[in-house]
């Protein structure tokens, strides 16, 4: 894993700064690989929630002048990015401090890479690299399930369907067929509701269930196949 991160960091340094262009060092400039700068994430949150905005901070020892400001890169990203990234010199800490803001869009696992370049008193280019792995959670995820997935029934039977979902806010359930609620229960934020559906003729049907949270604009849908003989 460490070797992979080093390879990816090298790739980022080789191409990322060239693409950004701002404050990039000359491509032909030699880098002293033995003079790796100390760099670390400060007060990184233990858990990140989807939809919340977080500030990430990285401190890097100061050994000279700033050649390329600190940059954040996601090793694997689905449109996620850091915003308002800025590097400043903190003379009290004798370090360059880079801050950026991140708002997770979905649950997932992430590897965040950080890189910076300075020039020391000897005129040598030296680099700083750091990485942080973390996961995000979606506390408002509905987790809608409908069971069983497939049903075979006789004409005239009332067919029971179990709908389960979790939500801390009001959630509306909608069906594409007329159903009757038989009973419901709630425990630790998990709802279980049983509905009855009675077909009027033989055939194959698709029962669709849609769960909507109006306050968060979240929508989840599930469907099951019902064969009436």
């Amino acid at each position: 894993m460490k070797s992979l991160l080093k390879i990816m960091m090298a790739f980022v340094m080789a191409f990322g700064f060239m693409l950004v262009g701002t404050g990039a060092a000359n491509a032909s400039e030699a880098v002293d690989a033995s003079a790796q700068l100390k760099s670390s994430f400060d007060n990184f949150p233990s858990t990140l929630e989807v939809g919340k905005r977080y500030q990430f901070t990285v401190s890097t020892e100061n050994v000279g002048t700033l050649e390329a400001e600190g940059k954040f890169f996601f090793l694997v990203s689905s449109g996620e990015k850091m915003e308002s990234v800025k590097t400043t010199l903190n003379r009290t800490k004798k370090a360059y401090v880079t801050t950026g803001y991140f708002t997770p869009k979905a649950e997932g696992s992430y590897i965040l890479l950080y890189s910076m370049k300075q020039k020391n008193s000897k005129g040598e280019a030296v680099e700083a690299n750091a990485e942080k792995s973390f996961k995000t959670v979606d506390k408002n995820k509905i987790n809608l399930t409908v069971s069983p997935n497939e049903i075979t029934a006789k004409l005239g039977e009332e067919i029971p369907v179990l709908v389960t979902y979790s939500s801390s806010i009001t959630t509306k359930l909608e069906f594409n067929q007329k159903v009757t609620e038989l009973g419901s229960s709630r425990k630790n934020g998990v709802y279980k509701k049983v509905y009855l559906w009675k077909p009027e003729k033989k055939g194959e049907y698709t029962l669709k269930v849609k769960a909507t949270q109006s306050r968060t604009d979240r929508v989840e849908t599930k469907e099951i196949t019902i064969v009436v003989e």
Side-chain angles (χ1 to χ4, degrees):
M1 185 66 177
K2 292 291 185 181
S3 60
L4 175 61
L5 288 174
K6 289 181 179 179
I7 292 172
M8 292 304 299
M9 188 65 73
F11 180 85
V12 167
M13 290 299 297
F15 297 99
F17 285 128
M18 289 166 55
L19 291 173
V20 174
T22 304
N26 189 298
S28 62
E29 185 179 45
V31 175
D32 185 359
S34 64
Q36 183 73 25
L37 297 173
K38 294 179 181 179
S39 193
S40 61
F41 285 83
D42 301 337
N43 301 317
F44 201 89
S46 58
T47 303
L48 279 73
E49 295 181 26
V50 172
K52 285 191 174 183
R53 191 170 188 249
Y54 295 88
Q55 177 181 296
F56 290 172
T57 304
V58 176
S59 295
T60 304
E61 64 175 324
N62 174 20
V63 298
T65 59
L66 187 63
E67 288 292 289
E69 291 193 359
K71 304 291 180 182
F72 294 98
F73 305 88
F74 286 101
L75 188 57
V76 178
S77 173
S78 300
E80 305 280 20
K81 64 180 181 178
M82 297 289 290
E83 299 177 334
S84 304
V85 179
K86 180 175 64 175
T87 299
T88 57
L89 177 60
N90 187 316
R91 299 186 183 279
T92 303
K93 296 175 63 175
K94 296 180 180 179
Y96 283 100
V97 177
T98 302
T99 57
Y101 295 87
F102 174 57
T103 305
K105 297 178 182 178
E107 283 189 330
S109 299
Y110 298 85
I111 298 178
L112 181 62
L113 308 179
Y114 171 81
S115 60
M116 168 198 277
K117 188 180 291 184
Q118 299 179 35
K119 183 173 287 185
N120 63 21
S121 58
K122 298 179 182 179
E124 301 167 327
V126 287
E127 296 177 357
N129 295 312
E131 61 91 8
K132 178 67 70 172
S133 300
F134 62 92
K135 293 183 178 181
T136 59
V137 297
D138 187 350
K139 290 192 172 182
N140 290 319
K141 191 174 181 179
I142 301 174
N143 293 312
L144 176 68
T145 62
V146 181
S147 61
N149 293 325
E150 296 182 1
I151 299 174
T152 300
K154 298 293 184 181
L155 183 63
E157 291 181 350
E158 287 189 311
I159 301 170
V161 176
L162 174 62
V163 178
T164 304
Y165 64 94
S166 57
S167 180
S168 58
I169 57 180
T170 302
T171 301
K172 179 182 179 182
L173 295 180
E174 296 176 277
F175 298 81
N176 69 328
Q177 305 282 353
K178 183 179 179 180
V179 296
T180 302
E181 184 174 340
L182 181 63
S184 65
S185 65
R186 178 179 182 271
K187 184 177 180 180
N188 298 325
V190 178
Y191 292 82
K192 292 184 177 182
K193 298 189 176 186
V194 177
Y195 293 86
L196 294 178
W197 177 64
K198 187 174 182 179
E200 297 181 354
K201 58 184 178 179
K202 295 181 180 180
E204 183 173 304
Y205 299 84
T206 299
L207 178 64
K208 297 181 181 180
V209 185
K210 181 171 75 171
T212 306
Q213 292 178 343
S214 58
R215 203 175 79 188
T216 63
D217 294 326
R218 294 174 187 269
V219 177
E220 290 187 24
T221 59
K222 295 290 182 180
E223 60 183 50
I224 59 175
T225 300
I226 302 175
V227 177
V228 180
E229 300 177 339

